[in-house]
Amino acid sequence: MEIRISGHQVATGDALKTHVETRLQGISAKYFARAISAHVTFGKGPHDNGFTCDIIAHVMQGLVLKGSNDGMDAHGAFDGVADKIEKQLRRYMRRLKDRNAGQVNAAAENGAYDNAGYTVFRETDDEIAEDFPPIIAETRVDVPDATVSDAVMMLDLRHTNALLFRNVGSGAYNMVYRRGDGTIGWVEPHRAA
């Protein structure tokens, strides 16, 4: 598995890099025969107090794990987020292995995880800038074919607030999202009778 370790205004030493690589390789060996890649980013905590650690791991084609944690030291921040990811994998591993012989239907074309560049769409001269903030396209994603329960699982593993997917039962595009009270909402288009 390819592991990239970077620091945002934080120097990452050899001991920290060795610790991260050893732990992620162990998680990968325990749960996946072949993980694709992981990117670990360390940063300064809120108000320059402590450290933050973010992990984005592509473990199967189309399966992305995301996690974040704060800690007083870099090792503690990493261990906390690694524990969170490992707990999620234990919870969902049977479903992931059973589903299409270990493949998630949200597979990206040829295994490429290609992000689009940032594009700012400018308003025209007749629009008032303060009433209409600029629209920014952040990433390009594939819309997975999934059941509603699989979409909720992907929403949880990706730590996102919303996920657009194509419902395999109806063929329509649906969305699941995390509501303010922590429950999951499901948006399904109205079908003409």
Side-chain angles (χ1 to χ4, degrees):
M1 172 168 70
E2 175 189 343
I3 300 173
R4 290 183 294 154
I5 302 166
S6 59
H8 183 70
Q9 298 179 348
V10 172
T12 57
D14 291 337
L16 181 61
K17 288 180 181 181
T18 303
H19 177 68
V20 168
E21 289 174 357
T22 303
R23 180 82 189 269
L24 288 180
Q25 292 289 1
I27 292 172
S28 174
K30 184 175 182 179
Y31 292 101
F32 300 100
R34 264 181 75 204
I36 298 171
S37 68
H39 188 169
V40 180
T41 306
F42 292 93
K44 292 184 178 181
H47 311 292
D48 292 335
N49 187 15
F51 293 88
T52 63
C53 181
D54 298 313
I55 297 177
I56 300 173
H58 299 278
V59 292
M60 295 174 156
Q61 284 189 350
L63 178 62
V64 179
L65 297 175
K66 294 182 181 179
S68 182
N69 193 41
D70 298 330
M72 292 310 293
D73 66 340
H75 287 270
F78 170 74
D79 286 337
V81 71
D83 289 343
K84 288 178 185 179
I85 286 178
E86 195 165 11
K87 181 178 179 182
Q88 287 180 326
L89 287 173
R90 273 195 307 271
R91 181 182 311 146
Y92 291 118
M93 204 56 219
R94 186 171 1 132
R95 282 183 61 190
L96 290 172
K97 284 186 178 179
D98 291 345
R99 190 168 176 234
N100 293 334
Q103 293 295 323
V104 176
N105 278 338
E109 286 282 324
N110 299 324
Y113 295 95
D114 178 16
N115 286 334
Y118 284 86
T119 305
V120 178
F121 299 96
R122 302 269 179 220
E123 63 274 351
T124 60
D125 293 336
D126 58 339
E127 291 183 280
I128 301 170
E130 63 235 16
D131 290 339
F132 301 101
I135 299 170
I136 300 174
E138 293 183 14
T139 58
R140 181 180 339 158
V141 296
D142 292 320
V143 177
D145 291 336
T147 63
V148 177
S149 63
D150 287 345
V152 171
M153 176 186 66
M154 285 187 259
L155 178 79
D156 191 30
L157 290 174
R158 293 178 184 187
H159 285 283
T160 57
N161 291 326
L163 177 72
L164 178 69
F165 67 100
R166 191 176 120 124
N167 192 328
V168 294
S170 65
Y173 289 98
N174 289 195
M175 176 177 279
V176 289
Y177 63 96
R178 191 168 311 280
R179 298 169 47 133
D181 61 358
T183 59
I184 302 294
W186 173 25
V187 178
E188 183 175 29
H190 180 67
R191 292 187 224 162

